[in-house]
């Protein structure tokens, strides 16, 4: 097999292109922030036009620009799988860089579309939790109010004390609720029935 230096320029550039793609695939982190490389990997035409110098195994190599048709012609001549083989390597290198960049992306950043999407999802989840907490709070207040109303009509001292204790317990549980934690302890209705708070918890 001829050395790259012995080949005509376009044939040499085609082989160097494959070497560059393989280097990117093996070391995506090193190339992950290079805008010229990212642009070239996104399309066949951009890759063909790329002019780029890089170091490989201690040697400086230069990838010269050419037309996409020229790149296809030489790739079909030099590679067993033809241009399809080279393009498969291009896509593999692109996916490797995208994987690296995705892993480095902050959980929520307003600078990217994906970051905004995650931020919206996070806010929606927090809103749902807050709605649940508000529902429980309203149910607890309603329970306590009903107990206090029953106290006014109660003549039995023992039942009066029980209802007052239930009302105080319900209000105390609500006041001790941490943020976004809609599971307070709730008293029974005093006659063996399950309260609405307990139904919600089930």
């Amino acid at each position: 097999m001829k050395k790259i230096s012995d080949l005509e320029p376009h044939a040499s550039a085609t082989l160097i292109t494959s070497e560059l793609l393989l280097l990117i695939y093996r070391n995506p982190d090193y190339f992950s922030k290079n805008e010229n490389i990212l642009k070239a990997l996104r399309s066949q035409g951009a890759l063909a036009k790329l002019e780029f110098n890089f170091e490989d195994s201690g040697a400086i190599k230069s990838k010269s620009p050419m037309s996409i048709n020229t790149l296809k012609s030489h790739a079909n001549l030099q590679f067993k799988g033809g241009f399809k083989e080279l393009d498969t390597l291009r896509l593999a290198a692109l996916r490797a860089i995208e994987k690296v960049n995705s892993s480095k992306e902050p959980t929520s950043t307003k600078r990217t579309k994906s970051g905004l999407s995650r931020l919206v999802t996070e806010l929606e989840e927090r809103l749902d939790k807050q709605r649940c907490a508000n529902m429980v709070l309203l149910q607890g207040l309603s329970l306590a109010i009903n107990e206090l109303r029953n106290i006014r009509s109660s003549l039995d001292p023992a039942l009066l004390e029980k209802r007052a204790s239930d009302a105080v317990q319900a209000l105390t549980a609500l006041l001790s609720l941490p943020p976004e934690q809609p599971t307070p302890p709730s008293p029974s209705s005093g006659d063996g029935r399950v309260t609405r708070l307990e139904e919600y918890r089930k």
Side-chain angles (χ1 to χ4, degrees):
M1 182 177 180
K2 292 184 178 180
K3 295 181 179 179
I4 291 180
S5 57
D6 296 332
L7 299 173
E8 64 99 354
H10 287 151
S12 173
T14 301
L15 288 177
I16 289 176
T17 298
S18 69
E19 292 180 352
L20 174 60
L21 292 175
L22 187 58
L23 184 64
I24 295 170
Y25 175 74
R26 290 174 175 172
N27 304 278
D29 190 68
Y30 181 80
F31 296 92
S32 62
K33 299 303 178 184
N34 191 305
E35 292 299 328
N36 289 332
I37 290 296
L38 287 170
K39 181 180 178 180
L41 293 178
R42 290 188 180 116
S43 74
Q44 298 173 352
L47 177 63
K49 295 177 181 178
L50 175 67
E51 185 173 4
F52 191 76
N53 297 324
F54 62 99
E55 182 178 349
D56 184 21
S57 301
I60 301 298
K61 299 180 180 180
S62 297
K63 192 277 180 192
S64 57
M66 68 186 90
S67 70
I68 182 60
N69 288 333
T70 299
L71 179 60
K72 286 182 177 181
S73 296
H74 284 278
N76 287 331
L77 290 173
Q78 297 182 58
F79 304 127
K80 185 176 181 180
F83 178 73
K84 184 177 180 180
E85 178 181 322
L86 187 67
D87 197 48
T88 298
L89 187 54
R90 173 185 69 85
L91 294 173
L94 177 59
R95 285 193 295 270
I97 285 185
E98 288 178 339
K99 183 177 181 180
V100 168
N101 288 339
S102 176
S103 66
K104 292 181 178 180
E105 201 169 85
T107 302
S108 291
T109 172
K110 295 181 180 179
R111 298 180 182 178
T112 63
K113 183 177 180 181
S114 58
L116 282 174
S117 178
R118 281 194 297 273
L119 180 60
V120 169
T121 300
E122 290 173 7
L123 291 175
E124 287 177 343
E125 290 175 353
R126 290 174 60 183
L127 182 59
D128 287 339
K129 290 180 181 179
Q130 191 58 55
R131 283 171 178 163
C132 290
N134 290 344
M135 184 184 301
V136 173
L137 179 62
L138 290 174
Q139 289 176 332
L141 289 174
S142 177
L143 173 65
I145 290 171
N146 287 334
E147 294 291 353
L148 291 173
R149 285 174 177 169
N150 290 332
I151 289 174
R152 293 186 305 178
S153 60
S154 177
L155 298 177
D156 184 346
L159 183 57
L160 180 64
E161 183 178 351
K162 177 66 170 68
R163 286 176 174 171
S165 176
D166 288 346
V168 170
Q169 183 180 348
L171 290 172
T172 301
L174 291 172
L175 290 175
S176 64
L177 262 180
E180 299 180 355
Q181 184 64 38
T183 53
S186 55
S188 67
S189 63
D191 57 4
R193 292 177 298 177
V194 177
T195 65
R196 291 177 64 192
L197 281 176
E198 289 175 343
E199 290 174 351
Y200 178 79
R201 290 169 63 183
K202 290 182 178 180

